[in-house]
Amino acid sequence: MATQQQEVRDLQEGGYVMIDEAACKINAYSTAKPGKHGSAKARIEAKGVFDEKKRSLSQPVDAKIRVPIIERKQGQIVSVDGADMQVMDLESYETFTMRIPEDVDATPDDEIEFLEMEGQRKIV
């Protein structure tokens, strides 16, 4: 899996983190001060990038955590067939089929921006 290790204290809102083996975007990040018998803790509220599920995580700030490497790419819609569309990656000229999100008005020749990680794709 395309990930890298990072300390929890280096995470920021709007960044990405792996929670329960799913790539998630961080919505909220808060820390608690160290107590008499413990180290500082961070609480992370995040939402799955590809499945939209909410997840949370609580870890010591000096713990190492995996951060996904998600690529942001440009594509062009080649054709639209019902709820699916065929998209061509503008860098590799690879074509693939994607489900059209409900809030997107897809027409052929439109350029779109999408996130890609290990074969999973999502329109931004």
Side-chain angles (χ1 to χ4, degrees), residues 77 85 100-106 112 123-124:
I77 300 172
M85 64 182 170
I100 300 173
E102 294 176 6
D103 59 339
V104 173
D105 184 29
I112 60 169
I123 294 176
V124 179

Side-chain angles (χ1 to χ4, degrees), residues 72-86:
R72 183 176 291 258
K73 294 183 166 185
Q74 298 285 324
Q76 182 178 14
I77 300 172
V78 177
S79 66
V80 176
D81 183 26
D84 296 331
M85 64 182 170
Q86 191 168 22

Side-chain angles (χ1 to χ4, degrees), residues 14-86:
Y16 298 103
V17 66
M18 294 294 290
I19 301 176
D20 299 334
E21 297 298 319
C24 298
K25 185 172 185 175
I26 299 171
N27 295 330
Y29 177 88
S30 61
T31 57
K33 292 181 180 178
K36 184 176 180 181
H37 301 289
S39 62
K41 301 274 192 298
R43 178 162 176 79
I44 300 167
E45 302 281 334
K47 187 175 181 182
V49 174
F50 300 106
D51 61 4
E52 304 282 328
K53 288 184 181 175
K54 288 185 178 179
R55 295 179 174 90
S56 64
L57 176 75
S58 182
Q59 290 276 318
V61 294
D62 58 349
K64 298 265 186 181
I65 193 162
R66 293 186 313 146
V67 176
I69 300 171
I70 298 175
E71 294 182 64
R72 183 176 291 258
K73 294 183 166 185
Q74 298 285 324
Q76 182 178 14
I77 300 172
V78 177
S79 66
V80 176
D81 183 26
D84 296 331
M85 64 182 170
Q86 191 168 22

Side-chain angles (χ1 to χ4, degrees), residues 5-19:
Q5 291 233 334
Q6 195 171 0
E7 282 193 2
V8 172
R9 73 173 52 136
D10 296 331
L11 299 175
Q12 297 178 346
E13 288 184 16
Y16 298 103
V17 66
M18 294 294 290
I19 301 176

